[in-house]
Amino acid sequence: MTIHIFNPEHDMALAANKEGYIPSHAARQLKSDLSFIPALWAEHGDMVLVDDVDAALESVRHLKQYAKDVVFITPDDLAKIDFSEASVKVAPWGWDKNLRAWLLRKNAKMATVLPSADQLMMIRDYSSRAFAATHVLPAFRNLGEQFIGECAIHSGTLDDRFFNSLKGGKWVLKSPWSSSGRGVKYVNDETLEDDSFRKWAQNVSRNQGYIMVEPYYNKVRDFGMEFYANEDGSIDYCGLSLFDTSRGAYTGNLLAAEEIKVKELAKYVDVKVLNVIRNTIIAALKNVFKSVYVGPFGVDMMVVAESGADHFLIHPCVEMNLRRTMGHVALAISPSLLEPRKLMQIGFQGKFKFKVVPLMDDLLNTSLV
């Protein structure tokens, strides 16, 4: 039996890297409103941790064709569970120091089923944008001209010399750890003269140790690949994720059979390239997570329009999320090949709502907002 936990504040907890991290109001509301969603990927008979069981049951009622038959429990119920049984597991959205400390306060006997402090430290390192930039992206450098993507890591004090080196170009600066849509700044000459931007960059480098600098690419399509890290160190491929973003923040996923998603991407890239990407990532990460992390993870990618050309390139590793992703959720509830395509969305109207709606038009011409 597995106890599932939706902790969407995970990415920011990694950045804070402390046991007493207090999420923002928006993150707390997202967690509260959507705490039921592990019912979409759990197994029958599993438990899902929620604040309000009645609210969770009502939310699942609207999605019952996708949900499993799970048992909703509250934080107070954790103290009643016997974690000495080897069959009990805990599976959060993502592992971090803050979550482990919170769980141990609820039931100290949970220590036997939680990652150690050393494992959490390594999970945090593997979750950084720097790890993906230095361990995954370089694997593609000699695989052909169809791939694009580079990233530099700058540590220490960011002075005028650093900012002046960025003049005359377009860049994307990223913090090593941040949640979707945060910790990312698009930079041009005008931005470089903005004192608030300079202070942001300097604070990131000082507080997190370094900052990431990437060229700005003319993105035309977001997509990703979802994987699962096994206990023996092997990596399984789970499927494609076609998603959309607004100002860097996630807005929705296509729900469709794998064949349909491949066909969408075939408008931009030879489908054989997708196999190269999948196999290269598996080879690069084989045995890396062994004895550290078991669970789902995803690699975000994008299709890039090459300047002055009528063809497209692939950035095969924009970032890696060593946790469950919305792409994994989409795979868990995607319809069969015979069903029409749908959209999985998260919207906000006084509260966060998880919706699955029909997709009538072409995905690439439809806003997911």
mmCIF file with all atom_site columns, all heavy atoms in Angstrom, residues 246-265:
data_model
loop_
_atom_site.group_PDB
_atom_site.id
_atom_site.type_symbol
_atom_site.label_atom_id
_atom_site.label_alt_id
_atom_site.label_comp_id
_atom_site.label_asym_id
_atom_site.label_entity_id
_atom_site.label_seq_id
_atom_site.pdbx_PDB_ins_code
_atom_site.Cartn_x
_atom_site.Cartn_y
_atom_site.Cartn_z
_atom_site.occupancy
_atom_site.B_iso_or_equiv
_atom_site.pdbx_formal_charge
_atom_site.auth_seq_id
_atom_site.auth_comp_id
_atom_site.auth_asym_id
_atom_site.auth_atom_id
_atom_site.pdbx_PDB_model_num
ATOM 1   N N   . SER A 1 246 ? 2.166  29.623 -20.140 1.00 0.00 ? 246 SER A N   1
ATOM 2   C CA  . SER A 1 246 ? 1.907  31.051 -20.287 1.00 0.00 ? 246 SER A CA  1
ATOM 3   C C   . SER A 1 246 ? 2.874  31.787 -19.381 1.00 0.00 ? 246 SER A C   1
ATOM 4   O O   . SER A 1 246 ? 2.828  31.641 -18.158 1.00 0.00 ? 246 SER A O   1
ATOM 5   C CB  . SER A 1 246 ? 0.458  31.372 -19.900 1.00 0.00 ? 246 SER A CB  1
ATOM 6   O OG  . SER A 1 246 ? 0.227  32.768 -19.956 1.00 0.00 ? 246 SER A OG  1
ATOM 7   N N   . ARG A 1 247 ? 3.798  32.555 -19.989 1.00 0.00 ? 247 ARG A N   1
ATOM 8   C CA  . ARG A 1 247 ? 4.849  33.249 -19.244 1.00 0.00 ? 247 ARG A CA  1
ATOM 9   C C   . ARG A 1 247 ? 5.649  32.279 -18.377 1.00 0.00 ? 247 ARG A C   1
ATOM 10  O O   . ARG A 1 247 ? 6.022  32.583 -17.251 1.00 0.00 ? 247 ARG A O   1
ATOM 11  C CB  . ARG A 1 247 ? 4.242  34.358 -18.379 1.00 0.00 ? 247 ARG A CB  1
ATOM 12  C CG  . ARG A 1 247 ? 3.572  35.455 -19.207 1.00 0.00 ? 247 ARG A CG  1
ATOM 13  C CD  . ARG A 1 247 ? 3.030  36.557 -18.333 1.00 0.00 ? 247 ARG A CD  1
ATOM 14  N NE  . ARG A 1 247 ? 2.398  37.603 -19.137 1.00 0.00 ? 247 ARG A NE  1
ATOM 15  C CZ  . ARG A 1 247 ? 1.828  38.679 -18.639 1.00 0.00 ? 247 ARG A CZ  1
ATOM 16  N NH1 . ARG A 1 247 ? 1.810  38.860 -17.315 1.00 0.00 ? 247 ARG A NH1 1
ATOM 17  N NH2 . ARG A 1 247 ? 1.268  39.573 -19.433 1.00 0.00 ? 247 ARG A NH2 1
ATOM 18  N N   . GLY A 1 248 ? 5.876  31.102 -18.920 1.00 0.00 ? 248 GLY A N   1
ATOM 19  C CA  . GLY A 1 248 ? 6.691  30.122 -18.226 1.00 0.00 ? 248 GLY A CA  1
ATOM 20  C C   . GLY A 1 248 ? 5.928  29.232 -17.270 1.00 0.00 ? 248 GLY A C   1
ATOM 21  O O   . GLY A 1 248 ? 6.464  28.241 -16.784 1.00 0.00 ? 248 GLY A O   1
ATOM 22  N N   . ALA A 1 249 ? 4.664  29.563 -16.976 1.00 0.00 ? 249 ALA A N   1
ATOM 23  C CA  . ALA A 1 249 ? 3.877  28.777 -16.031 1.00 0.00 ? 249 ALA A CA  1
ATOM 24  C C   . ALA A 1 249 ? 3.014  27.767 -16.768 1.00 0.00 ? 249 ALA A C   1
ATOM 25  O O   . ALA A 1 249 ? 2.447  28.046 -17.824 1.00 0.00 ? 249 ALA A O   1
ATOM 26  C CB  . ALA A 1 249 ? 3.004  29.696 -15.191 1.00 0.00 ? 249 ALA A CB  1
ATOM 27  N N   . TYR A 1 250 ? 2.900  26.591 -16.209 1.00 0.00 ? 250 TYR A N   1
ATOM 28  C CA  . TYR A 1 250 ? 2.121  25.507 -16.811 1.00 0.00 ? 250 TYR A CA  1
ATOM 29  C C   . TYR A 1 250 ? 0.654  25.877 -16.924 1.00 0.00 ? 250 TYR A C   1
ATOM 30  O O   . TYR A 1 250 ? 0.073  26.442 -16.000 1.00 0.00 ? 250 TYR A O   1
ATOM 31  C CB  . TYR A 1 250 ? 2.270  24.253 -15.948 1.00 0.00 ? 250 TYR A CB  1
ATOM 32  C CG  . TYR A 1 250 ? 1.341  23.126 -16.333 1.00 0.00 ? 250 TYR A CG  1
ATOM 33  C CD1 . TYR A 1 250 ? 1.685  22.243 -17.353 1.00 0.00 ? 250 TYR A CD1 1
ATOM 34  C CD2 . TYR A 1 250 ? 0.118  22.947 -15.689 1.00 0.00 ? 250 TYR A CD2 1
ATOM 35  C CE1 . TYR A 1 250 ? 0.836  21.212 -17.725 1.00 0.00 ? 250 TYR A CE1 1
ATOM 36  C CE2 . TYR A 1 250 ? -0.733 21.918 -16.043 1.00 0.00 ? 250 TYR A CE2 1
ATOM 37  C CZ  . TYR A 1 250 ? -0.381 21.057 -17.056 1.00 0.00 ? 250 TYR A CZ  1
ATOM 38  O OH  . TYR A 1 250 ? -1.223 20.031 -17.420 1.00 0.00 ? 250 TYR A OH  1
ATOM 39  N N   . THR A 1 251 ? 0.041  25.554 -18.076 1.00 0.00 ? 251 THR A N   1
ATOM 40  C CA  . THR A 1 251 ? -1.389 25.808 -18.245 1.00 0.00 ? 251 THR A CA  1
ATOM 41  C C   . THR A 1 251 ? -2.174 24.578 -18.664 1.00 0.00 ? 251 THR A C   1
ATOM 42  O O   . THR A 1 251 ? -3.373 24.515 -18.418 1.00 0.00 ? 251 THR A O   1
ATOM 43  C CB  . THR A 1 251 ? -1.639 26.919 -19.289 1.00 0.00 ? 251 THR A CB  1
ATOM 44  O OG1 . THR A 1 251 ? -0.968 26.587 -20.510 1.00 0.00 ? 251 THR A OG1 1
ATOM 45  C CG2 . THR A 1 251 ? -1.142 28.260 -18.778 1.00 0.00 ? 251 THR A CG2 1
ATOM 46  N N   . GLY A 1 252 ? -1.553 23.590 -19.310 1.00 0.00 ? 252 GLY A N   1
ATOM 47  C CA  . GLY A 1 252 ? -2.329 22.416 -19.683 1.00 0.00 ? 252 GLY A CA  1
ATOM 48  C C   . GLY A 1 252 ? -1.564 21.393 -20.492 1.00 0.00 ? 252 GLY A C   1
ATOM 49  O O   . GLY A 1 252 ? -0.480 21.669 -21.008 1.00 0.00 ? 252 GLY A O   1
ATOM 50  N N   . ASN A 1 253 ? -2.133 20.183 -20.574 1.00 0.00 ? 253 ASN A N   1
ATOM 51  C CA  . ASN A 1 253 ? -1.540 19.048 -21.295 1.00 0.00 ? 253 ASN A CA  1
ATOM 52  C C   . ASN A 1 253 ? -2.518 18.447 -22.280 1.00 0.00 ? 253 ASN A C   1
ATOM 53  O O   . ASN A 1 253 ? -3.743 18.413 -22.025 1.00 0.00 ? 253 ASN A O   1
ATOM 54  C CB  . ASN A 1 253 ? -1.157 17.936 -20.311 1.00 0.00 ? 253 ASN A CB  1
ATOM 55  C CG  . ASN A 1 253 ? 0.327  17.887 -20.018 1.00 0.00 ? 253 ASN A CG  1
ATOM 56  O OD1 . ASN A 1 253 ? 0.799  18.591 -19.125 1.00 0.00 ? 253 ASN A OD1 1
ATOM 57  N ND2 . ASN A 1 253 ? 1.048  17.066 -20.758 1.00 0.00 ? 253 ASN A ND2 1
ATOM 58  N N   . LEU A 1 254 ? -1.982 17.945 -23.375 1.00 0.00 ? 254 LEU A N   1
ATOM 59  C CA  . LEU A 1 254 ? -2.787 17.171 -24.310 1.00 0.00 ? 254 LEU A CA  1
ATOM 60  C C   . LEU A 1 254 ? -2.960 15.764 -23.764 1.00 0.00 ? 254 LEU A C   1
ATOM 61  O O   . LEU A 1 254 ? -1.998 15.117 -23.341 1.00 0.00 ? 254 LEU A O   1
ATOM 62  C CB  . LEU A 1 254 ? -2.085 17.107 -25.675 1.00 0.00 ? 254 LEU A CB  1
ATOM 63  C CG  . LEU A 1 254 ? -2.695 16.158 -26.714 1.00 0.00 ? 254 LEU A CG  1
ATOM 64  C CD1 . LEU A 1 254 ? -4.060 16.659 -27.152 1.00 0.00 ? 254 LEU A CD1 1
ATOM 65  C CD2 . LEU A 1 254 ? -1.773 16.009 -27.916 1.00 0.00 ? 254 LEU A CD2 1
ATOM 66  N N   . LEU A 1 255 ? -4.204 15.287 -23.771 1.00 0.00 ? 255 LEU A N   1
ATOM 67  C CA  . LEU A 1 255 ? -4.495 13.899 -23.427 1.00 0.00 ? 255 LEU A CA  1
ATOM 68  C C   . LEU A 1 255 ? -4.798 13.158 -24.714 1.00 0.00 ? 255 LEU A C   1
ATOM 69  O O   . LEU A 1 255 ? -5.779 13.452 -25.400 1.00 0.00 ? 255 LEU A O   1
ATOM 70  C CB  . LEU A 1 255 ? -5.696 13.811 -22.481 1.00 0.00 ? 255 LEU A CB  1
ATOM 71  C CG  . LEU A 1 255 ? -5.609 14.584 -21.172 1.00 0.00 ? 255 LEU A CG  1
ATOM 72  C CD1 . LEU A 1 255 ? -6.861 14.337 -20.328 1.00 0.00 ? 255 LEU A CD1 1
ATOM 73  C CD2 . LEU A 1 255 ? -4.370 14.195 -20.390 1.00 0.00 ? 255 LEU A CD2 1
ATOM 74  N N   . ALA A 1 256 ? -3.943 12.223 -25.055 1.00 0.00 ? 256 ALA A N   1
ATOM 75  C CA  . ALA A 1 256 ? -4.116 11.486 -26.305 1.00 0.00 ? 256 ALA A CA  1
ATOM 76  C C   . ALA A 1 256 ? -3.209 10.270 -26.300 1.00 0.00 ? 256 ALA A C   1
ATOM 77  O O   . ALA A 1 256 ? -2.271 10.181 -25.500 1.00 0.00 ? 256 ALA A O   1
ATOM 78  C CB  . ALA A 1 256 ? -3.788 12.375 -27.513 1.00 0.00 ? 256 ALA A CB  1
ATOM 79  N N   . ALA A 1 257 ? -3.480 9.347  -27.195 1.00 0.00 ? 257 ALA A N   1
ATOM 80  C CA  . ALA A 1 257 ? -2.615 8.191  -27.349 1.00 0.00 ? 257 ALA A CA  1
ATOM 81  C C   . ALA A 1 257 ? -1.237 8.638  -27.819 1.00 0.00 ? 257 ALA A C   1
ATOM 82  O O   . ALA A 1 257 ? -1.086 9.697  -28.443 1.00 0.00 ? 257 ALA A O   1
ATOM 83  C CB  . ALA A 1 257 ? -3.228 7.210  -28.349 1.00 0.00 ? 257 ALA A CB  1
ATOM 84  N N   . GLU A 1 258 ? -0.234 7.842  -27.544 1.00 0.00 ? 258 GLU A N   1
ATOM 85  C CA  . GLU A 1 258 ? 1.144  8.181  -27.900 1.00 0.00 ? 258 GLU A CA  1
ATOM 86  C C   . GLU A 1 258 ? 1.276  8.438  -29.396 1.00 0.00 ? 258 GLU A C   1
ATOM 87  O O   . GLU A 1 258 ? 1.996  9.345  -29.824 1.00 0.00 ? 258 GLU A O   1
ATOM 88  C CB  . GLU A 1 258 ? 2.084  7.054  -27.474 1.00 0.00 ? 258 GLU A CB  1
ATOM 89  C CG  . GLU A 1 258 ? 3.551  7.405  -27.549 1.00 0.00 ? 258 GLU A CG  1
ATOM 90  C CD  . GLU A 1 258 ? 4.032  8.287  -26.406 1.00 0.00 ? 258 GLU A CD  1
ATOM 91  O OE1 . GLU A 1 258 ? 3.192  8.688  -25.563 1.00 0.00 ? 258 GLU A OE1 1
ATOM 92  O OE2 . GLU A 1 258 ? 5.239  8.574  -26.349 1.00 0.00 ? 258 GLU A OE2 1
ATOM 93  N N   . GLU A 1 259 ? 0.558  7.681  -30.192 1.00 0.00 ? 259 GLU A N   1
ATOM 94  C CA  . GLU A 1 259 ? 0.651  7.839  -31.642 1.00 0.00 ? 259 GLU A CA  1
ATOM 95  C C   . GLU A 1 259 ? 0.214  9.226  -32.095 1.00 0.00 ? 259 GLU A C   1
ATOM 96  O O   . GLU A 1 259 ? 0.784  9.810  -33.028 1.00 0.00 ? 259 GLU A O   1
ATOM 97  C CB  . GLU A 1 259 ? -0.212 6.777  -32.349 1.00 0.00 ? 259 GLU A CB  1
ATOM 98  C CG  . GLU A 1 259 ? 0.277  5.353  -32.172 1.00 0.00 ? 259 GLU A CG  1
ATOM 99  C CD  . GLU A 1 259 ? -0.287 4.707  -30.909 1.00 0.00 ? 259 GLU A CD  1
ATOM 100 O OE1 . GLU A 1 259 ? -0.799 5.443  -30.037 1.00 0.00 ? 259 GLU A OE1 1
ATOM 101 O OE2 . GLU A 1 259 ? -0.212 3.467  -30.808 1.00 0.00 ? 259 GLU A OE2 1
ATOM 102 N N   . ILE A 1 260 ? -0.796 9.768  -31.431 1.00 0.00 ? 260 ILE A N   1
ATOM 103 C CA  . ILE A 1 260 ? -1.286 11.099 -31.779 1.00 0.00 ? 260 ILE A CA  1
ATOM 104 C C   . ILE A 1 260 ? -0.262 12.163 -31.409 1.00 0.00 ? 260 ILE A C   1
ATOM 105 O O   . ILE A 1 260 ? -0.011 13.116 -32.163 1.00 0.00 ? 260 ILE A O   1
ATOM 106 C CB  . ILE A 1 260 ? -2.631 11.371 -31.089 1.00 0.00 ? 260 ILE A CB  1
ATOM 107 C CG1 . ILE A 1 260 ? -3.703 10.440 -31.654 1.00 0.00 ? 260 ILE A CG1 1
ATOM 108 C CG2 . ILE A 1 260 ? -3.042 12.829 -31.248 1.00 0.00 ? 260 ILE A CG2 1
ATOM 109 C CD1 . ILE A 1 260 ? -5.050 10.557 -30.984 1.00 0.00 ? 260 ILE A CD1 1
ATOM 110 N N   . LYS A 1 261 ? 0.368  12.007 -30.258 1.00 0.00 ? 261 LYS A N   1
ATOM 111 C CA  . LYS A 1 261 ? 1.381  12.979 -29.828 1.00 0.00 ? 261 LYS A CA  1
ATOM 112 C C   . LYS A 1 261 ? 2.606  12.943 -30.741 1.00 0.00 ? 261 LYS A C   1
ATOM 113 O O   . LYS A 1 261 ? 3.180  13.985 -31.070 1.00 0.00 ? 261 LYS A O   1
ATOM 114 C CB  . LYS A 1 261 ? 1.759  12.718 -28.373 1.00 0.00 ? 261 LYS A CB  1
ATOM 115 C CG  . LYS A 1 261 ? 0.642  13.057 -27.390 1.00 0.00 ? 261 LYS A CG  1
ATOM 116 C CD  . LYS A 1 261 ? 1.032  12.796 -25.960 1.00 0.00 ? 261 LYS A CD  1
ATOM 117 C CE  . LYS A 1 261 ? 1.022  11.313 -25.632 1.00 0.00 ? 261 LYS A CE  1
ATOM 118 N NZ  . LYS A 1 261 ? 1.245  11.050 -24.193 1.00 0.00 ? 261 LYS A NZ  1
ATOM 119 N N   . VAL A 1 262 ? 2.996  11.754 -31.149 1.00 0.00 ? 262 VAL A N   1
ATOM 120 C CA  . VAL A 1 262 ? 4.114  11.633 -32.085 1.00 0.00 ? 262 VAL A CA  1
ATOM 121 C C   . VAL A 1 262 ? 3.769  12.339 -33.395 1.00 0.00 ? 262 VAL A C   1
ATOM 122 O O   . VAL A 1 262 ? 4.601  13.031 -33.993 1.00 0.00 ? 262 VAL A O   1
ATOM 123 C CB  . VAL A 1 262 ? 4.457  10.154 -32.333 1.00 0.00 ? 262 VAL A CB  1
ATOM 124 C CG1 . VAL A 1 262 ? 5.442  10.026 -33.494 1.00 0.00 ? 262 VAL A CG1 1
ATOM 125 C CG2 . VAL A 1 262 ? 5.045  9.520  -31.079 1.00 0.00 ? 262 VAL A CG2 1
ATOM 126 N N   . LYS A 1 263 ? 2.542  12.168 -33.840 1.00 0.00 ? 263 LYS A N   1
ATOM 127 C CA  . LYS A 1 263 ? 2.107  12.801 -35.093 1.00 0.00 ? 263 LYS A CA  1
ATOM 128 C C   . LYS A 1 263 ? 2.155  14.317 -34.979 1.00 0.00 ? 263 LYS A C   1
ATOM 129 O O   . LYS A 1 263 ? 2.527  15.017 -35.937 1.00 0.00 ? 263 LYS A O   1
ATOM 130 C CB  . LYS A 1 263 ? 0.684  12.340 -35.431 1.00 0.00 ? 263 LYS A CB  1
ATOM 131 C CG  . LYS A 1 263 ? 0.174  12.840 -36.768 1.00 0.00 ? 263 LYS A CG  1
ATOM 132 C CD  . LYS A 1 263 ? -1.216 12.302 -37.077 1.00 0.00 ? 263 LYS A CD  1
ATOM 133 C CE  . LYS A 1 263 ? -1.725 12.824 -38.407 1.00 0.00 ? 263 LYS A CE  1
ATOM 134 N NZ  . LYS A 1 263 ? -3.094 12.306 -38.708 1.00 0.00 ? 263 LYS A NZ  1
ATOM 135 N N   . GLU A 1 264 ? 1.794  14.865 -33.830 1.00 0.00 ? 264 GLU A N   1
ATOM 136 C CA  . GLU A 1 264 ? 1.866  16.315 -33.624 1.00 0.00 ? 264 GLU A CA  1
ATOM 137 C C   . GLU A 1 264 ? 3.305  16.799 -33.761 1.00 0.00 ? 264 GLU A C   1
ATOM 138 O O   . GLU A 1 264 ? 3.584  17.811 -34.411 1.00 0.00 ? 264 GLU A O   1
ATOM 139 C CB  . GLU A 1 264 ? 1.323  16.674 -32.242 1.00 0.00 ? 264 GLU A CB  1
ATOM 140 C CG  . GLU A 1 264 ? -0.168 16.479 -32.060 1.00 0.00 ? 264 GLU A CG  1
ATOM 141 C CD  . GLU A 1 264 ? -0.990 17.582 -32.698 1.00 0.00 ? 264 GLU A CD  1
ATOM 142 O OE1 . GLU A 1 264 ? -0.405 18.535 -33.224 1.00 0.00 ? 264 GLU A OE1 1
ATOM 143 O OE2 . GLU A 1 264 ? -2.231 17.484 -32.649 1.00 0.00 ? 264 GLU A OE2 1
ATOM 144 N N   . LEU A 1 265 ? 4.239  16.086 -33.133 1.00 0.00 ? 265 LEU A N   1
ATOM 145 C CA  . LEU A 1 265 ? 5.638  16.510 -33.176 1.00 0.00 ? 265 LEU A CA  1
ATOM 146 C C   . LEU A 1 265 ? 6.268  16.263 -34.540 1.00 0.00 ? 265 LEU A C   1
ATOM 147 O O   . LEU A 1 265 ? 7.253  16.918 -34.895 1.00 0.00 ? 265 LEU A O   1
ATOM 148 C CB  . LEU A 1 265 ? 6.429  15.776 -32.090 1.00 0.00 ? 265 LEU A CB  1
ATOM 149 C CG  . LEU A 1 265 ? 6.113  16.211 -30.657 1.00 0.00 ? 265 LEU A CG  1
ATOM 150 C CD1 . LEU A 1 265 ? 6.874  15.353 -29.656 1.00 0.00 ? 265 LEU A CD1 1
ATOM 151 C CD2 . LEU A 1 265 ? 6.455  17.685 -30.440 1.00 0.00 ? 265 LEU A CD2 1
#
